[in-house]
Amino acid sequence: PQSALDFFAVRRHRMYMSALWTFAAACAVTRPPQALLSRRELAAAALAVPAAAHGTASLLPVPASAQAGFKLNTGVNFPTASFGLQIYDDKDAEELTLVALECGYRNFFASVLARNQRGFARAIQRSGVPREELFICGSVLSNQAQGFDAARKLSARGCRENLEAFASATDYVDMIMLDYPGPDDDSIRGQWAALEEMAAQKTTRSLAVSNFSPRQLDVIFADKSATVPTVNQLPFGVGFANIYDGNAASIVAENSKRGVVVQAWSPLQRALRGNRKDACAMIGQKYGKTAAQVALRWIADMGCSFTTAGTRKRDGAPARFRENLDIFDFKLTQEEIAALAKL
């Protein structure tokens, strides 16, 4: 059987060749059989082919900096769609990351909680995709440490462990994220101090948090010299109307006014159940989209990014990965956004 890398290379080659012949036919281009196109001409031909002809969100994957996304407070583009590794072994992480790369993902959330950062890094190293085209986020788990010094020490160790795990592919990350806030304000300040030290060493280009309430964010903001978080990863999506004091939209506004982008984790957890799935599917009929695509489009239209989970390859990963990326050719109406926000 082909290795994951062979699969990746063959698929890329087929995409280029399909693009070439479609472009030639569409433009009535003819060349002698022995004539070869330059690499630049081939790339241009591929980019000229409409993506719809191939049934995917985009024919050729584009760098993270050029993907649809949100401008962080650092000035960097943060792609709306992120691939998030889940708990499986390093071998599965490696294979699924290669598939995700081939499908077009360039934004990756490789949490320490998934325990497979080394497998992810091997895939990045093997893929041949230039490092500068990727956005890689690691994470630190230090919420059990109490007090400034203990939280700072454990968080600093977590930062080092991320770099060690990613070492085969990169010597820096684009973002380092606190998975959870510490148990009290002093602990949060200690956690943040460790991340700022990592930024000072230039081994991360931005800092982020996860599962922080507005009040916990303000612990960081209280220090006027502190680095502002770029992203707050939160449970969010269609079906969360009764969360966040009955107004899920308010949590987006609270983060936005602080200059922080919300990234939804487990964005389809509630959306694909019961009446939420039915509502999304009904709207999807109008656009030729699935319920999942409508649910993800709703998150984007709410001004948020999302990270979708990558489960095992045998579960139909390539088709699902492409489905989750194919949401950038339509937008929901204000009425549809409001209707889904009530669920």
Side-chain angles (χ1 to χ4, degrees), residues 249-284:
S250 67
I251 199 66
V252 180
E254 287 294 325
N255 279 268
S256 181
K257 74 181 185 181
R258 291 168 173 80
V260 179
V261 173
V262 168
Q263 183 182 51
W265 61 259
S266 294
L268 301 176
Q269 181 183 29
R270 294 171 178 244
L272 300 185
R273 298 179 183 177
N275 68 325
R276 284 94 66 187
K277 183 176 182 180
D278 294 340
C280 289
M282 183 173 296
I283 292 173

Side-chain angles (χ1 to χ4, degrees), residues 52-333:
H54 296 264
T56 58
S58 61
L59 178 62
L60 291 178
V62 297
S65 60
Q67 292 191 355
F70 297 90
K71 187 176 181 179
L72 300 178
N73 55 40
T74 58
V76 173
N77 183 60
F78 185 62
T80 302
S82 164
F83 176 83
L85 286 89
Q86 294 299 294
I87 298 175
Y88 32 68
D89 61 28
D90 282 318
K91 183 176 182 297
D92 284 334
E94 184 175 356
E95 292 181 357
L96 285 168
T97 300
L98 285 169
V99 174
L101 284 162
E102 190 271 332
C103 290
Y105 280 99
R106 292 295 180 267
N107 185 5
F108 291 89
F109 177 55
S111 171
V112 67
L113 291 169
R115 300 193 295 272
N116 50 30
Q117 290 178 321
R118 284 177 170 77
F120 163 76
R122 285 201 299 267
I124 298 300
Q125 191 274 329
R126 292 178 60 196
S127 71
V129 176
R131 173 64 182 89
E132 61 271 17
E133 294 189 5
L134 304 173
F135 192 103
I136 297 174
C137 177
S139 77
V140 170
L141 183 65
S142 59
N143 60 310
Q144 296 302 313
Q146 187 156 12
F148 183 93
D149 291 337
R152 183 177 187 173
K153 182 177 180 180
L154 186 57
S155 300
R157 187 176 80 183
C159 291
R160 291 193 300 270
E161 289 173 348
N162 272 262
L163 294 174
E164 291 168 2
F166 295 141
S168 65
T170 183
D171 58 1
Y172 72 95
V173 292
D174 298 279
M175 179 181 289
I176 193 71
M177 178 182 290
L178 283 174
D179 268 313
Y180 290 93
D184 53 46
D185 292 0
D186 209 32
S187 302
I188 291 173
R189 284 189 282 268
Q191 289 177 302
W192 202 245
L195 267 64
E196 290 196 305
E197 289 168 5
M198 187 178 181
Q201 295 163 4
K202 301 190 183 303
T203 50
T204 183
R205 295 183 173 180
S206 60
L207 309 182
V209 297
S210 182
N211 303 300
F212 270 56
S213 68
R215 194 204 71 77
Q216 289 165 329
L217 283 174
D218 287 340
V219 173
I220 298 173
F221 279 88
D223 180 355
K224 301 305 180 183
S225 65
T227 303
V228 177
T230 55
V231 167
N232 189 8
Q233 197 182 84
L234 295 168
F236 185 75
V238 174
F240 279 79
N242 62 339
I243 308 297
Y244 304 113
D245 297 324
N247 186 6
S250 67
I251 199 66
V252 180
E254 287 294 325
N255 279 268
S256 181
K257 74 181 185 181
R258 291 168 173 80
V260 179
V261 173
V262 168
Q263 183 182 51
W265 61 259
S266 294
L268 301 176
Q269 181 183 29
R270 294 171 178 244
L272 300 185
R273 298 179 183 177
N275 68 325
R276 284 94 66 187
K277 183 176 182 180
D278 294 340
C280 289
M282 183 173 296
I283 292 173
Q285 292 177 6
K286 171 183 173 181
Y287 301 103
K289 299 294 181 179
T290 66
Q293 288 170 323
V294 169
L296 293 175
R297 183 67 242 184
W298 181 84
I299 291 172
D301 287 341
M302 288 289 290
C304 303
S305 60
F306 58 82
T307 181
T308 45
T311 54
R312 297 183 186 277
K313 188 175 180 179
R314 63 173 177 266
D315 294 332
R320 189 173 64 258
F321 292 176
R322 289 192 176 91
E323 177 186 359
N324 292 343
L325 285 174
D326 191 14
I327 67 161
F328 297 107
D329 57 352
F330 78 110
K331 285 189 175 183
L332 301 178
T333 66

